[in-house]
Amino acid sequence: MKLSNILVAAATAAVVGTTSMAADIFVVGGKPDDPFWSRVKKGAEDAGRVAEAQGGSVTWLGPQNYDNLGPDAAELIRQAIDQGADAIVGPNWVPEAMDPAFQAVVDAGIPLVIYNAGGIEAADRLGAMNYVGAVDYKSGYAGGEYLAKAGHTNGACVNTLPGAANIEAFCNGFNDGMSDNSGTGSVLQLPATAFGDSTAVAQAVRAHLLQNPDINAMFAIGDQDTNATISGIQQAGKTGSVHVCGMNFNDSILANIQSGTQACAIDQQGYQQGFFAVSILNNHVMYGTTIPTREILTGPGVVDASNVDLVIAGVEAGAR
Amino acid sequence: MEMMSALLRRPAAASILSLVGVLAFYVIFGGVDLGKLLNAASWVNYAARIGIVAIPVGLLMVSGEIDISIGAMIPAGAMSAAIITGYYEFPMIFGILGAIGIGVMVGLINGILAVRTTVPTLIITLATLVAMQGVVLAGSKLLTGSASVPLTAPGWAKTIFGQLMFGGSHQVIIVWWVIFAVVFWFVLHQTRYGNWIFAMGGDKESARNAGIPVNRMTIVLFVLTATSASFVGMCHAILFNSAQVSGGMNDIFNIIVSVVVGGVLLTGGFGSVPGVFVGTLTFAIVIKGIDFTTIDRNWSNLIIGVMLLTAVAMNESFRKLALTAVLGKKENAGDSVVAVAKNN
């Protein structure tokens, strides 16, 4: 590609970008290399094809890491405003830090959809159009309930993102799901640097299981953490006696469910979150349409040995 | 031509050229709307956040030492303010003093260990980094039972440390950064203390023999780095109404990279405050500017790595130019660095 061609392309992009009728939608989310968030990103971009066909665009804004989640995400929301967004999608991970930034979006008259974290309460409080996502507490609850009903009644929730409201809700839900079904739940708290660091999570799980030999159920908050938790259980020599459910899934987790090393996965269907949040906003900016159904739930759904083959077929078809 | 070469010999030259290069790359290959980028607050806010720490770290590195405990001091400052004022509901001033105090304390520990032992400061501050991570997490869980503490700061504290200026997105911390830069520029380049720091970085023994209070200066520099980090943490806690235990860990690399892009020699004796200032701006634009491009975000880390390598390589060649031009010959002995740096 010649330099002149690049310049022409850049100029064209600039012209297209400033067309007034098209929707430039900014989506604030997780790191693009996070398996779960790459699925959300794909959903947002697939919905964005419609926006692009109409001359609009979808831009993904993610933090460099999760060390400073709330403030970093708040910064990205403000950045989206500065970049001239026609509509913004964002998760309400840390309300104290992020609410003022969401307020600035609404004050600027930019349509807003909260997704992934925060629930309809956050959308109502902030004046957002809608909430698209799973209810974290219910997701955790489903995991606790599933394991306790299967007879594994002493559970621990592995929290690798202390402080993030949605993760706290997973663990609270898990503990309640356990105790409502005559079990007991506890939380294994790790420093946030452990999130995504499989070795650190596995070592912590191994040590925790050796110290607390009664634990026979565990809950992990993401697909990488779930694999790490299973590895920690193996290292503690407890495979088969400690049963694991985890949030989200990927190919290796589905294989683990098929082979029986993992009991269940709680699916919040990230693809749907990105897809519907962007679709709602694009249609709203283009045509003024709304979705009167408040709180678009995308989860929880339990994936276990009974339906895993169907889910795998769904993955192959690109639908999950 | 003489002016041109004089400019190129300054420690800030490479960082200014890096800045121009990065902007050109983003505009040509990323389709960046320069007006939009320059008006946006995200990269300036980020630059200020790491820049306030980068300047004292730059001075410390010029003196031949390094401090990586800053990574733990940013959350330590934030958590001190949030626990004292947010959880125990003491007046804000105690939260502020607590955040500054913990910085001074850890800085003193780092500094005293550095002058009393022969352990490299990389190892000393690695130890305090890890130790402070433990203190912050365990302390927070012990005192509040949580790893994240909300904080509602009073109006005056918000105005001074944590507001968004002019109703926009620019944080007041930017003003603090500029003040820090001006004060440290004056100290490093206009006072004898600055000359002492360069001399320490050139050769510590000679500096001591020349009557420079090397130990006292080293301790002061360590107190400045740790305190500036806890100050940034405190400002962030006030602005974002909350603090969490592990915020800011990744900043260690970002701050040190900014200092190095800004033309400070890792082995000491060479560098400038304007260089670090521009280096921080460059790094912030590299990190945050990618969002303004049409480049797929999946490539962002590769681009950041290549750009940083290019910037540092440029620094290297400009520094050689500076040293050889002043000496008028190719060889350069270690202590001549002091003489060159003093000219700035």
Side-chain angles (χ1 to χ4, degrees), chain A residues 3 6-7 10-11 13-14 17-18 24 26 32-33 41 45 59-72 74-76 78-79 81-85 94-98 100-101 104 161-164 168 189-193, chain B residues 27-31 33 36 39-43 45-46 49 133 137 141 145-151 164 168-171 236 239-242 244-251 254 283 287-288 291-294 296-298 300-301 304:
Chain A
L3 183 66
I6 296 170
L7 287 174
T18 51
D24 290 323
F26 284 73
D33 62 355
K41 182 166 178 262
E45 284 167 353
T59 307
W60 185 267
L61 299 177
Q64 214 190 345
N65 57 64
Y66 295 134
D67 278 358
N68 202 20
L69 193 62
D72 282 355
E75 281 283 271
L76 291 173
R78 291 185 191 279
Q79 181 180 323
I81 303 175
D82 287 347
Q83 284 184 254
V94 185
E96 302 94 34
M98 296 174 69
L161 278 178
E168 305 275 347
Q189 192 110 288
L190 271 68
T193 41
Chain B
V27 168
I28 294 169
F29 294 99
D33 179 341
K36 233 179 220 175
N39 278 325
S42 64
W43 58 277
N45 289 338
Y46 185 71
R49 171 184 162 79
Q133 288 176 347
L137 176 61
K141 289 294 287 179
S146 162
S148 153
V149 181
L151 165 70
L164 300 168
S169 310
H170 289 83
Q171 299 169 5
H236 247 235
L239 173 64
F240 289 107
N241 310 315
S242 67
Q244 62 185 92
V245 283
S246 45
M249 216 60 85
N250 212 59
D251 291 335
N254 296 350
F283 184 74
I287 292 262
K288 296 289 175 185
D291 289 332
F292 289 77
T293 66
T294 51
D296 188 330
R297 304 288 155 307
N298 297 348
S300 61
N301 279 347
I304 289 166

Side-chain angles (χ1 to χ4, degrees), chain B:
Chain B
M1 191 59 220
E2 185 52 40
M3 230 177 75
M4 197 52 199
S5 83
L7 178 76
L8 287 182
R9 287 201 304 273
R10 298 190 76 91
S15 54
I16 291 171
L17 283 180
S18 307
L19 180 61
V20 173
V22 163
L23 283 175
F25 179 87
Y26 275 165
V27 168
I28 294 169
F29 294 99
V32 166
D33 179 341
L34 212 52
K36 233 179 220 175
L37 178 65
L38 294 180
N39 278 325
S42 64
W43 58 277
V44 197
N45 289 338
Y46 185 71
R49 171 184 162 79
I50 58 172
I52 287 179
V53 190
I55 292 169
V57 167
L59 259 64
L60 187 68
M61 281 166 69
V62 168
S63 87
E65 308 292 350
I66 195 161
D67 181 2
I68 60 170
S69 69
I70 45 172
M73 291 317 294
I74 294 175
M79 288 305 286
S80 303
I83 290 176
I84 293 172
T85 303
Y87 185 77
Y88 287 110
E89 296 179 356
F90 284 111
M92 189 67 230
I93 186 73
F94 290 105
I96 293 168
L97 289 175
I100 304 283
I102 199 164
V104 172
M105 196 185 74
V106 174
L108 280 175
I109 294 173
N110 281 337
I112 290 170
L113 285 175
V115 300
R116 290 282 164 81
T117 68
T118 54
V119 181
T121 45
L122 177 70
I123 306 299
I124 292 173
T125 55
L126 177 62
T128 44
L129 166 76
V130 179
M132 281 310 292
Q133 288 176 347
V135 168
V136 172
L137 176 61
S140 170
K141 289 294 287 179
L142 196 69
L143 296 175
T144 70
S146 162
S148 153
V149 181
L151 165 70
T152 314
W156 64 268
K158 281 242 173 216
T159 309
I160 302 174
F161 299 111
Q163 63 161 334
L164 300 168
M165 295 182 292
F166 321 119
S169 310
H170 289 83
Q171 299 169 5
V172 71
I173 200 171
I174 298 166
V175 175
W176 283 99
W177 180 37
V178 173
I179 294 173
F180 265 66
V182 170
V183 169
F184 277 101
W185 169 83
F186 184 80
V187 170
L188 188 66
H189 301 298
Q190 305 295 323
T191 69
R192 61 187 177 138
Y193 303 110
N195 289 338
W196 290 356
I197 292 170
F198 281 114
M200 285 159 64
D203 183 350
K204 221 146 250 169
E205 265 329 293
S206 311
R208 192 165 292 146
N209 292 339
I212 295 171
V214 171
N215 287 359
R216 192 144 42 92
M217 287 298 289
T218 304
I219 294 174
V220 167
L221 286 172
F222 272 107
V223 168
L224 286 175
T225 52
T227 311
S228 64
S230 66
F231 175 82
V232 166
M234 179 198 76
C235 290
H236 247 235
I238 291 174
L239 173 64
F240 289 107
N241 310 315
S242 67
Q244 62 185 92
V245 283
S246 45
M249 216 60 85
N250 212 59
D251 291 335
I252 304 170
F253 296 103
N254 296 350
I255 288 165
I256 290 175
V257 166
S258 299
V259 172
V260 172
V261 170
V264 174
L265 202 55
L266 264 172
T267 47
F270 193 89
S272 74
V273 171
V276 173
F277 190 88
V278 180
T280 311
L281 273 181
T282 310
F283 184 74
I285 287 180
V286 170
I287 292 262
K288 296 289 175 185
I290 188 100
D291 289 332
F292 289 77
T293 66
T294 51
I295 302 166
D296 188 330
R297 304 288 155 307
N298 297 348
W299 292 103
S300 61
N301 279 347
L302 173 70
I303 292 168
I304 289 166
V306 169
M307 280 187 168
L308 292 177
L309 215 53
T310 316
V312 173
M314 276 204 302
N315 267 331
E316 205 58 29
S317 32
F318 282 121
R319 188 180 305 118
K320 276 207 188 94
L321 190 68
L323 296 178
T324 49
V326 172
L327 292 174
K329 53 184 175 183
K330 289 282 180 236
E331 304 82 27
N332 47 72
D335 48 1
S336 63
V337 177
V338 180
V340 179
K342 271 182 180 174
N343 287 338
N344 295 289

Side-chain angles (χ1 to χ4, degrees), chain A:
Chain A
M1 202 171 178
K2 292 220 169 60
L3 183 66
S4 58
N5 291 351
I6 296 170
L7 287 174
V8 169
T12 316
V15 171
V16 170
T18 51
T19 310
S20 60
M21 262 309 288
D24 290 323
I25 301 166
F26 284 73
V27 186
V28 176
K31 284 162 58 177
D33 62 355
D34 179 322
F36 172 76
W37 283 101
S38 70
R39 208 170 291 244
V40 180
K41 182 166 178 262
K42 183 172 162 43
E45 284 167 353
D46 283 357
R49 287 185 194 173
V50 175
E52 272 158 28
Q54 296 162 338
S57 66
V58 166
T59 307
W60 185 267
L61 299 177
Q64 214 190 345
N65 57 64
Y66 295 134
D67 278 358
N68 202 20
L69 193 62
D72 282 355
E75 281 283 271
L76 291 173
I77 294 162
R78 291 185 191 279
Q79 181 180 323
I81 303 175
D82 287 347
Q83 284 184 254
D86 295 319
I88 294 176
V89 181
N92 197 13
W93 284 317
V94 185
E96 302 94 34
M98 296 174 69
D99 277 3
F102 281 126
Q103 230 105 52
V105 174
V106 174
D107 290 348
I110 300 170
L112 169 72
V113 166
I114 305 288
Y115 78 147
N116 178 257
I120 193 69
E121 302 80 12
D124 286 341
R125 186 176 68 238
L126 297 163
M129 287 178 63
N130 216 328
Y131 171 75
V132 182
V135 176
D136 307 316
Y137 177 84
K138 286 184 189 165
S139 298
Y141 191 94
E145 188 180 47
Y146 182 90
L147 287 167
K149 281 193 171 161
H152 317 303
T153 50
N154 190 334
C157 179
V158 186
N159 184 348
T160 50
L161 278 178
N166 59 327
I167 309 295
E168 305 275 347
F170 283 146
C171 285
N172 290 339
F174 173 77
N175 288 348
D176 289 351
M178 276 273 159
S179 50
D180 287 354
N181 293 280
S182 59
T184 51
S186 59
V187 178
L188 167 58
Q189 192 110 288
L190 271 68
T193 41
F195 183 84
D197 181 349
S198 302
T199 316
V201 175
Q203 286 306 316
V205 166
R206 174 177 168 273
H208 193 68
L209 287 177
L210 294 178
Q211 269 174 14
N212 303 280
D214 293 340
I215 289 176
N216 57 12
M218 296 199 97
F219 187 77
I221 59 162
D223 39 15
Q224 280 179 336
D225 279 4
T226 308
N227 283 336
T229 302
I230 289 172
S231 155
I233 292 169
Q234 276 164 355
Q235 290 175 38
K238 298 245 180 186
T239 307
S241 60
V242 178
H243 302 266
V244 182
C245 279
M247 286 303 304
N248 311 333
F249 63 80
N250 55 32
D251 290 347
S252 72
I253 283 173
L254 292 175
N256 282 341
I257 292 175
Q258 262 183 326
S259 69
T261 32
Q262 180 172 339
C264 76
I266 309 296
D267 188 14
Q268 54 171 317
Q269 301 176 111
Y271 179 89
Q272 302 278 69
Q273 294 177 7
F275 189 90
F276 281 103
V278 168
S279 295
I280 289 171
L281 285 172
N282 187 55
N283 295 349
H284 178 72
V285 172
M286 294 300 293
Y287 311 122
T289 57
T290 54
I291 298 281
T293 307
R294 300 278 289 162
E295 187 174 55
I296 314 272
L297 283 184
T298 64
V302 177
V303 181
D304 65 1
S306 68
N307 64 357
V308 66
D309 292 334
L310 257 176
V311 176
I312 290 173
V315 171
E316 280 164 4
R320 298 193 76 159

